[in-house]
Each structure stands twice: as structure tokens, then as C-alpha cells.
Amino acid sequence: MRRLALWVLATFAFLRFLSWKRAQAAVPAVPPPVPEPVAPAEPETDPRADELRAKLEAKEEPAAEPEPEPAVPEPDERRRSVHERGRHAVEQMRDSSSGE
């Protein structure tokens, strides 16, 4: 029984090897040449685009000075205001829950 299994396995391996070799022979060794890239045709200019460009150029104004950023409060002041808002929110929640 072992000999039969060994012969079947060896035959299967040999046939698989032959099919692999045939597949390798069918694949060309040199890849096909890559075609040269074709330069894209120049797009036609749309007359509407020219009109829009002219409008944009006419509307352009000198850039205004940016507004200065508001002064950032000190960390202690900011912390106090955050805590006050939190306390106020907690009081509102307590008031609304006690009314139910």
C-alpha cells in the first residue's frame, strides 16, 4: 500500500513539474516593448474662460490689512471663565431635574 501511494505521489509531482515547465516556456523571456507616450493635444481655449479671467482681473483689489487677532486672555482668567460656565450649566441641569 505504501509503494502504491509513493508511486501515485511521485507521478503527480512529475506531472505537475512538467505542466509548470510548459507554462514557463510559454511566457516570453523578453517583455513586450512599451509604446512611446503620445503627447496630449493642446486643449482649445474656451472663450468663456477668457471672459472670466478678465472679470477676475477687473475685480481684484489690493489685499486689505488683516485684522489683528484678539488678545488671548491669561490662563487664570480663561480657567475662571470656564469654571463659571461649568458651574452655571450644572445649576441649570439641577434646576431642570428638580422640576420633574
Side-chain angles (χ1 to χ4, degrees):
M1 184 68 178
R2 285 186 176 173
R3 282 189 173 192
L4 178 62
L6 182 62
W7 276 102
V8 169
L9 182 62
T11 305
F12 176 74
F14 181 70
L15 291 174
R16 182 69 181 125
F17 174 74
L18 287 179
S19 68
W20 177 75
K21 273 303 223 183
R22 285 185 195 146
Q24 290 294 322
V27 176
V30 178
V34 178
E36 293 291 324
V38 178
E42 290 186 31
E44 297 179 23
T45 57
D46 190 359
R48 296 177 296 176
D50 294 331
E51 292 173 13
L52 288 173
R53 284 188 194 106
K55 285 182 183 178
L56 285 174
E57 288 175 3
K59 286 186 178 180
E60 283 184 6
E61 297 176 6
E65 299 262 341
E67 294 181 18
E69 294 184 14
V72 178
E74 292 294 321
D76 291 333
E77 293 174 20
R78 181 172 164 80
R79 188 177 303 118
R80 267 190 232 107
S81 68
V82 168
H83 282 278
E84 287 174 7
R85 285 186 297 200
R87 286 186 192 113
H88 181 68
V90 168
E91 288 175 10
Q92 285 181 342
M93 284 188 253
R94 284 184 183 155
D95 291 342
S96 66
S97 64
S98 63
E100 292 179 9

